[in-house]
Amino acid sequence: MNTLLGRRTRVLAAITATAGLMLVSACTSTDDGGSGSKTAAGGVELVKAGQLTTCTHLPYPPFQSEIDGKVQGFDVALIDLVAKDLDVKQEILDTPFENFKTGAFLNAGECDLAAAGMTITEERKKNVDFSDPYFDATQAVLVDKDSGLGSLADVKSKGAELGAQAQTTGEDYAKKEGFDPVSFESSDAVLNGLRSGQVKAVVIDYPVVQGWLKNKANADAFEVVDNLSTGEQYGFTVKKGNTELLAAVNKAIADARADGTYKELYEKWIGPYDESAASPSAS
């Protein structure tokens, strides 16, 4: 059975007493003299003047989630670097994850780019242009410690219910392995499905599981029984043909790797730095 929970698309507006989800980067916005120009530094055209509008899907820690009233995470921090180079601020728009496959919000001019812990795939490349890879990912299988399950093979042989986040490569992997996974709308819903016993195991990106297990209650209740090397790499996306913005994103990633900022952000949001993650490899 598939449990796809609807989500109302919501704009994370400017920081006020009543709207705390807006993320403003440390940079300053372009002074366009009141002209309202949508052209940022380097000739990059933006959908709104003075801001870099980023589509994401919340929550997906440690890449993006609301912390202390602000959207923060590894992806957010990297895109802040792009915004700084363009001399604008970053604004986050929370959207359904399925739109990232089609590029719908990019094509409609709602967002300049998308940052959502998204795996680079040939199918997705048909609809959007990906940046250089910025993160190498694996899939983890998480189970209740009392489940008696010791691997993904166990989950299958014992007919245990498996959960995954809808429209993700984790869900795709599970289906390829012959499962009919219960689909959850967000990573939080995946974890809640495991907590409530709706499913006995989940497959999801390992960094997400790492984040969950930093919580003692989660670490006491759950354990990783499989780490699946799927060769996945994450990339940011822009509308097809938006070469100027794509070049700005790739430059920010390369500069961060070169000057140590990438390592610093990796250790802050992901965990112990893996040197292999710093080498730009082809997707």
Side-chain angles (χ1 to χ4, degrees):
M1 151 178 152
N2 286 342
T3 307
L4 284 170
L5 307 178
R7 172 186 287 244
R8 179 173 58 87
T9 301
R10 50 194 168 91
V11 175
L12 307 181
I15 295 175
T16 66
T18 59
L21 288 182
M22 172 63 197
L23 170 74
V24 179
S25 68
C27 59
T28 57
S29 60
T30 303
D31 180 6
D32 56 22
S35 67
S37 171
K38 294 181 181 179
T39 305
V44 174
E45 293 294 322
L46 302 174
V47 298
K48 290 185 180 179
Q51 69 183 49
L52 182 65
T53 309
T54 303
C55 270
T56 194
H57 179 65
L58 298 170
Y60 200 65
F63 298 96
Q64 53 271 323
S65 59
E66 185 188 354
I67 303 170
D68 298 328
K70 295 190 296 183
V71 180
Q72 303 181 57
F74 188 61
D75 283 1
V76 178
L78 286 176
I79 296 303
D80 264 348
L81 301 177
V82 182
K84 184 176 181 181
D85 286 348
L86 298 179
D87 197 21
V88 296
K89 64 182 181 179
Q90 181 180 186
E91 180 176 338
I92 306 291
L93 181 66
D94 185 21
T95 67
F97 190 80
E98 53 265 29
N99 101 78
F100 298 112
K101 286 187 173 183
T102 63
F105 279 67
L106 296 172
N107 293 332
E110 296 290 331
C111 301
D112 295 299
L113 55 79
M118 183 162 50
T119 300
I120 301 168
T121 69
E122 292 305 315
E123 186 64 27
R124 292 172 181 174
K125 283 181 181 179
K126 295 175 183 177
N127 300 314
V128 295
D129 285 343
F130 275 95
S131 70
D132 292 336
Y134 69 90
F135 185 80
D136 293 336
T138 59
Q139 296 287 330
V141 179
L142 189 71
V143 303
D144 189 293
K145 285 184 175 179
D146 297 327
S147 67
L149 301 170
S151 65
L152 187 61
D154 266 1
V155 177
K156 178 179 280 190
S157 66
K158 295 180 180 181
E161 199 78 79
L162 179 70
Q165 184 174 343
Q167 305 292 326
T168 64
T169 52
E171 183 183 56
D172 291 342
Y173 181 87
K175 289 178 177 177
K176 286 177 184 175
E177 292 298 308
F179 291 93
D180 181 18
V182 176
S183 296
F184 295 94
E185 191 268 348
S186 69
S187 61
D188 272 7
V190 171
L191 181 58
N192 287 334
L194 187 59
R195 279 190 184 126
S196 65
Q198 185 176 354
V199 294
K200 296 299 182 185
V202 299
V203 58
I204 196 164
D205 288 8
Y206 182 61
V208 175
V209 172
Q210 280 181 303
W212 289 343
L213 295 181
K214 287 179 182 177
N215 177 289
K216 186 178 184 303
N218 289 337
D220 288 344
F222 309 117
E223 63 181 343
V224 175
V225 293
D226 245 344
N227 200 320
L228 313 168
S229 227
T230 54
E232 294 179 55
Q233 293 180 304
Y234 289 171
F236 302 120
T237 62
V238 302
K239 182 179 179 179
K240 286 195 82 64
N242 191 349
T243 55
E244 292 83 5
L245 179 55
L246 191 63
V249 173
N250 286 338
K251 180 180 183 300
I253 294 171
D255 288 349
R257 293 184 190 279
D259 66 16
T261 304
Y262 181 95
K263 180 177 184 290
E264 178 184 325
L265 295 176
Y266 189 102
E267 290 177 338
K268 176 179 180 179
W269 293 108
I270 309 298
Y273 185 61
D274 179 357
E275 192 64 37
S276 67
S279 358
S281 50
S283 62

PDB file of all heavy atoms in Angstrom, residues 2 14 69 75 226 239:
ATOM      1  N   ASN A   2       0.540   2.242  -0.795  1.00  0.00           N
ATOM      2  CA  ASN A   2       1.336   3.455  -0.872  1.00  0.00           C
ATOM      3  C   ASN A   2       0.668   4.553  -0.071  1.00  0.00           C
ATOM      4  O   ASN A   2      -0.512   4.821  -0.224  1.00  0.00           O
ATOM      5  CB  ASN A   2       1.493   3.938  -2.326  1.00  0.00           C
ATOM      6  CG  ASN A   2       2.448   3.054  -3.073  1.00  0.00           C
ATOM      7  OD1 ASN A   2       3.218   2.328  -2.467  1.00  0.00           O
ATOM      8  ND2 ASN A   2       2.402   3.097  -4.381  1.00  0.00           N
ATOM      9  N   ALA A  14       9.978  36.304   3.730  1.00  0.00           N
ATOM     10  CA  ALA A  14      10.987  37.083   4.431  1.00  0.00           C
ATOM     11  C   ALA A  14      10.808  36.983   5.935  1.00  0.00           C
ATOM     12  O   ALA A  14       9.696  36.811   6.429  1.00  0.00           O
ATOM     13  CB  ALA A  14      10.887  38.550   4.003  1.00  0.00           C
ATOM     14  N   GLY A  69      13.906  27.927  13.587  1.00  0.00           N
ATOM     15  CA  GLY A  69      13.129  28.887  12.807  1.00  0.00           C
ATOM     16  C   GLY A  69      13.721  29.276  11.467  1.00  0.00           C
ATOM     17  O   GLY A  69      13.166  30.118  10.761  1.00  0.00           O
ATOM     18  N   ASP A  75      23.151  21.561   1.823  1.00  0.00           N
ATOM     19  CA  ASP A  75      22.766  22.151   0.537  1.00  0.00           C
ATOM     20  C   ASP A  75      22.582  23.657   0.658  1.00  0.00           C
ATOM     21  O   ASP A  75      23.032  24.432  -0.198  1.00  0.00           O
ATOM     22  CB  ASP A  75      21.451  21.543   0.038  1.00  0.00           C
ATOM     23  CG  ASP A  75      21.624  20.150  -0.546  1.00  0.00           C
ATOM     24  OD1 ASP A  75      22.756  19.641  -0.549  1.00  0.00           O
ATOM     25  OD2 ASP A  75      20.619  19.571  -1.007  1.00  0.00           O
ATOM     26  N   ASP A 226      22.414  -2.498   6.762  1.00  0.00           N
ATOM     27  CA  ASP A 226      22.984  -2.588   5.414  1.00  0.00           C
ATOM     28  C   ASP A 226      23.351  -1.196   4.945  1.00  0.00           C
ATOM     29  O   ASP A 226      22.615  -0.224   5.200  1.00  0.00           O
ATOM     30  CB  ASP A 226      21.972  -3.187   4.427  1.00  0.00           C
ATOM     31  CG  ASP A 226      22.433  -4.548   3.877  1.00  0.00           C
ATOM     32  OD1 ASP A 226      23.624  -4.868   4.020  1.00  0.00           O
ATOM     33  OD2 ASP A 226      21.594  -5.275   3.325  1.00  0.00           O
ATOM     34  N   LYS A 239      17.248  25.248 -14.843  1.00  0.00           N
ATOM     35  CA  LYS A 239      16.460  25.066 -16.059  1.00  0.00           C
ATOM     36  C   LYS A 239      17.385  24.736 -17.227  1.00  0.00           C
ATOM     37  O   LYS A 239      18.488  25.289 -17.335  1.00  0.00           O
ATOM     38  CB  LYS A 239      15.666  26.342 -16.349  1.00  0.00           C
ATOM     39  CG  LYS A 239      14.762  26.269 -17.566  1.00  0.00           C
ATOM     40  CD  LYS A 239      14.000  27.579 -17.735  1.00  0.00           C
ATOM     41  CE  LYS A 239      13.103  27.549 -18.961  1.00  0.00           C
ATOM     42  NZ  LYS A 239      12.350  28.820 -19.110  1.00  0.00           N
TER      43      LYS A 239
END
